[in-house]
């Protein structure tokens, strides 16, 4: 059990009998909560309001879910079995593809100040009844979507769910609940020449930073939107097209440097949300960067090695690798801050630090590879290791547990 940080505790019913006194207690609680809000950044803080059995007393617990440590816990993890998930992806099924050390499945994220609520798939489905939960972004968001589908699939009889893929949209439906959990492919969020859900490996990447409607019309009305976009931007500059992909020769193309071009795209995204999202209906989330583990010397390993062969998380508290970009993180932070001043709240789910510890949790060579692996690569496994995505069950399950904590709270 982790220690619960109790901010306000009104223990005895006698002490707060009259409704006036309850009101005073509530006022004090609000003040304390407000004080905490001032002390910490809003986005970092997660509030638990728990009504105790005593009808007059209540406890408020506040907690930064993103600051904590990994605890080995093979009793309560994994949350589902790789083999038992009908919708597992071959990109992420590390056990199926020969990984022998399975410890990556047995870690629980322990925030310093509280416990994460254990994900109850039935309770989540109840919450999603007649609703759409949509992940929008790149393969890391798809990774998290597969995790979510596996988490809920474990409590649904096969006859009562379906999967439907249509272009960029992938829809998992729990029919009894009339609930869908969807994934929409748009790796750069705005329009780009990498939008084809299958053939998106183009050598010369081009974005239309000012255009998003082609994608957004498919997800704007969802009840829960979970965005991400990061890795596809990690280059020095990006070609930007003013014009259409149908007639690019009529348009104008120019290279724009990072992180400015990323900021332009996120501003287009933010402006779309500001105008089109129904604030009374839709809850918005942004997944922070998922870090990569390409350079073992960053965590004290051998120079030239990567995540291949790693079996343990990094234990050094506060470890920061080089697989994430602080500059891009602060762009996201400021775009979200700007939206907030316009009355639209997008909750950042800050998984960068917690995932940075998990150098051992990537598929490395234990996944289906789309291109044939050459003899030379076979002789040097690290050369074709995937140190970007995450094995399932694994780290993205925890991201979803954090998301679940917010969804239940709302
Ligand atoms: C994300 O969380 C980490 C760990 O708590 C913190 O150091 C970092 O500042 C946070 N980043 C943002 C943008 O909130
Ligand atoms: C959990 O791990 C401990 C220590 O490694 C081991 O002794 C135990 O058998 C494991 N339990 C299960 C259920 O795998
Ligand atoms: C999960 O949630 C369902 C529906 O709210 C509830 O009936 C059930 O008891 C919960 N299970 C656990 C283990 O808490
Ligand atoms: C099913 O859910 C959708 C939203 O995903 C909603 O528009 C529709 O009204 C729901 N159907 C029923 C019968 O409630
Ligand atoms: C696929 O999506 C397109 C565009 O949204 C739509 O017109 C079409 O009806 C969908 N097809 C199926 C089989 O759902
Ligand atoms: C949102 O809810 C408020 C208060 O119930 C209402 O006044 C407002 O018209 C609603 N806005 C929309 C866009 O439905
Ligand atoms: C593969 O690994 C070997 C040995 O570590 C290295 O010399 C070679 O450059 C690598 N090849 C590629 C294509 O990365």
């Amino acid at each position: 059990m982790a220690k619960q940080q109790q901010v306000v505790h009104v223990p005895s019913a006698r002490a707060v009998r009259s409704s006036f006194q309850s009101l005073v207690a509530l006022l004090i609680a609000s003040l304390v909560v407000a004080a905490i809000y001032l002390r910490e950044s809003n986005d970092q803080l997660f509030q638990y309001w728990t009504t105790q059995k005593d009808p007059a007393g209540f406890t408020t617990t506040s907690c930064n879910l993103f600051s904590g440590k990994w605890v080995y816990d093979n009793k309560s993890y994994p949350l589902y079995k790789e083999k038992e998930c009908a919708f597992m992806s071959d990109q992420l099924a590390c056990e199926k593809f020969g990984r022998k050390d399975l410890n990556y499945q047995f870690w629980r994220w322990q925030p310093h100040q509280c416990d994460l609520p254990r994900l109850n798939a039935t309770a989540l489905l109840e919450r999603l009844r007649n609703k759409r939960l949509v992940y929008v972004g790149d393969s890391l968001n798809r990774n998290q979507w597969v995790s979510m589908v596996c988490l809920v699939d474990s409590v649904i009889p096969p006859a009562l769910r379906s999967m439907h893929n249509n272009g960029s949209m992938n829809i998992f439906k729990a029919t009894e609940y009339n609930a869908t959990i969807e994934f929409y492919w748009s790796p750069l969020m705005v329009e780009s020449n990498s939008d084809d859900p299958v053939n998106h490996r183009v050598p010369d990447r081009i974005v239309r930073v000012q255009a998003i409607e082609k994608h957004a019309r498919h997800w704007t009305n969802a009840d829960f939107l979970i965005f991400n976009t990061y890795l596809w931007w990690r280059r020095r500059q990006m070609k930007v097209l003013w014009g259409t992909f149908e007639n690019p020769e009529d348009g104008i193309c120019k290279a724009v440097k990072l992180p400015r071009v990323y900021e332009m795209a996120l501003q287009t995204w933010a402006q779309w949300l500001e105008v089109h999202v129904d604030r009374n209906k839709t809850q918005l989330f942004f997944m922070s960067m998922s870090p990569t583990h390409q350079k073992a010397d960053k965590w004290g390993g051998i120079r030239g090695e990567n995540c291949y062969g790693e079996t343990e998380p990094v234990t050094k508290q506060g470890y920061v690798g080089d697989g994430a970009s602080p500059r891009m993180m602060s762009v996201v932070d400021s775009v979200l801050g700007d939206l907030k001043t316009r009355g639209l709240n997008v909750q950042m789910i800050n998984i960068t630090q917690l995932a940075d510890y998990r150098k051992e949790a990537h598929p490395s060579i234990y996944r289906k590879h789309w291109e044939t692996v050459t003899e030379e690569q076979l002789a040097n496994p690290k050369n074709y290791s995937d140190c970007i995505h995450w094995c399932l069950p694994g780290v993205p399950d925890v991201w979803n547990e954090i998301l679940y904590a917010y969804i239940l709270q709302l």
Side-chain angles (χ1 to χ4, degrees):
M1 256 313 282
K3 54 186 181 298
Q4 297 277 325
Q5 190 195 55
Q6 307 223 318
V7 173
V8 173
H9 191 207
V10 186
S12 96
R14 227 180 320 145
V16 271
R17 187 157 284 144
S18 77
S19 60
F20 171 72
Q21 278 168 315
S22 301
L23 202 69
V24 171
L26 192 67
L27 198 72
I28 294 169
S30 317
L31 286 175
V32 173
V33 169
I36 294 161
Y37 266 105
L38 289 177
R39 196 155 44 83
E40 288 190 56
S41 139
N42 267 1
D43 294 334
Q44 291 286 305
L45 197 69
F46 180 83
Q47 299 282 343
Y48 275 114
W49 287 84
T50 2
T51 310
Q52 305 273 287
K53 287 197 186 80
D54 171 357
F58 54 88
T59 308
T60 305
T61 306
S62 72
C63 175
N64 177 350
L65 294 181
F66 314 122
S67 162
K69 62 175 183 194
W70 291 98
V71 176
Y72 187 77
D73 178 356
N74 60 358
K75 285 207 182 64
S76 35
Y77 286 77
L79 299 174
Y80 55 88
K81 297 244 169 29
E82 185 196 287
K83 275 197 277 299
E84 286 166 15
C85 178
F87 305 103
M88 181 56 68
S89 157
D90 278 352
Q91 269 189 62
L92 315 165
C94 300
E95 192 174 351
K96 176 178 171 185
F97 285 86
R99 184 152 174 181
K100 292 289 182 282
D101 68 296
L102 299 178
N103 277 341
Y104 66 88
Q105 300 185 2
F106 305 137
W107 294 89
R108 176 166 53 82
W109 177 247
Q110 180 63 66
H112 289 310
Q113 299 149 319
C114 62
D115 291 332
L116 268 181
R118 189 182 162 82
L119 195 142
N120 177 337
T122 310
L124 177 62
L125 284 166
E126 288 291 353
R127 188 75 180 75
L128 295 182
R129 191 179 286 282
N130 297 322
K131 293 197 164 70
R132 292 174 69 198
L133 171 76
V134 186
Y135 293 86
V136 178
D138 63 21
S139 58
L140 270 316
N141 235 19
R142 186 170 55 209
N143 206 161
Q144 192 183 345
W145 169 73
V146 173
S147 151
M148 189 56 114
V149 167
C150 290
L151 283 163
V152 303
D153 187 48
S154 63
V155 301
I156 306 175
L160 294 177
R161 38 90 161 142
S162 66
M163 182 66 88
H164 174 73
N165 300 329
N166 181 2
S168 300
M169 189 61 107
N170 304 270
I171 305 173
F172 171 87
K173 181 162 190 175
T175 44
E176 216 182 0
Y177 294 89
N178 184 34
T180 60
I181 299 175
E182 315 177 19
F183 170 69
Y184 185 91
W185 171 260
S186 58
L188 294 129
M189 203 81 88
V190 291
E191 270 187 51
S192 77
N193 63 349
S194 302
D195 287 343
D196 187 293
V198 183
N199 303 310
H200 41 244
R201 300 234 164 261
V202 289
D204 200 13
R205 196 168 294 165
I206 304 170
V207 284
R208 291 182 67 204
V209 284
Q210 80 289 17
I212 196 170
E213 62 276 11
K214 186 181 118 198
H215 299 316
R217 52 202 292 273
H218 297 288
W219 44 251
T220 304
N221 293 326
D223 301 273
F224 300 95
L225 283 167
I226 297 102
F227 298 99
N228 94 319
T229 185
Y230 160 54
L231 259 192
W232 288 65
W233 295 96
R234 273 212 94 167
R235 34 187 70 198
R236 279 187 40 246
Q237 57 179 33
M238 198 76 104
K239 271 197 187 153
V240 176
L241 171 68
W242 281 268
T244 66
F245 285 113
E246 287 72 37
N247 300 301
E249 63 282 353
D250 293 343
I252 293 170
C253 211
K254 269 203 163 170
V256 182
K257 286 208 173 65
L258 264 296
R260 179 61 186 134
V261 64
Y262 184 60
E263 185 174 45
M264 288 174 173
L266 284 184
Q267 278 162 350
T268 298
W269 165 81
Q271 281 159 16
W272 174 275
L273 295 180
E274 183 192 336
V275 175
H276 296 276
V277 157
D278 178 351
R279 288 159 164 75
N280 290 349
K281 176 185 181 189
T282 305
Q283 297 291 339
L284 305 157
F285 299 91
F286 194 100
M287 302 303 300
S288 72
M289 301 168 293
S290 168
T292 59
H293 290 92
Q294 312 278 17
K295 290 183 185 159
D297 54 326
K298 293 287 168 201
W299 58 81
I302 298 164
R303 202 184 166 83
E305 299 289 312
N306 56 23
C307 73
Y308 173 73
E310 292 290 343
T311 57
E312 296 284 335
V314 175
T315 50
K316 183 174 174 274
Q317 279 299 298
Y319 166 79
V320 177
D322 73 335
S325 158
R327 284 197 313 171
M328 288 169 73
M329 184 101 149
S330 62
V331 168
V332 173
D333 222 17
S334 90
V335 170
L336 299 193
D338 232 38
L339 265 179
K340 189 173 270 175
T341 66
R342 293 171 213 287
L344 195 64
N345 197 39
V346 182
Q347 176 64 48
M348 190 196 302
I349 307 285
N350 178 358
I351 50 89
T352 306
Q353 171 78 67
L354 67 90
D356 224 355
Y357 295 120
R358 298 301 304 277
K359 62 181 166 59
E360 94 296 4
H362 298 284
S364 70
I365 63 170
Y366 305 109
R367 53 162 281 186
K368 185 188 174 84
H369 291 272
W370 308 119
E371 288 97 29
T372 11
V373 178
T374 63
E375 288 291 323
E376 195 214 338
Q377 284 175 320
L378 281 174
N380 298 290
K382 68 166 196 294
N383 284 20
Y384 70 107
S385 281
D386 175 352
C387 298
I388 294 172
H389 302 98
W390 305 92
C391 298
L392 291 182
V395 173
D397 302 332
V398 169
W399 302 351
N400 280 325
E401 285 194 292
I402 296 175
L403 183 66
Y404 171 78
Y406 279 98
I407 288 177
L408 239 56
Q409 185 87 354
L410 300 167

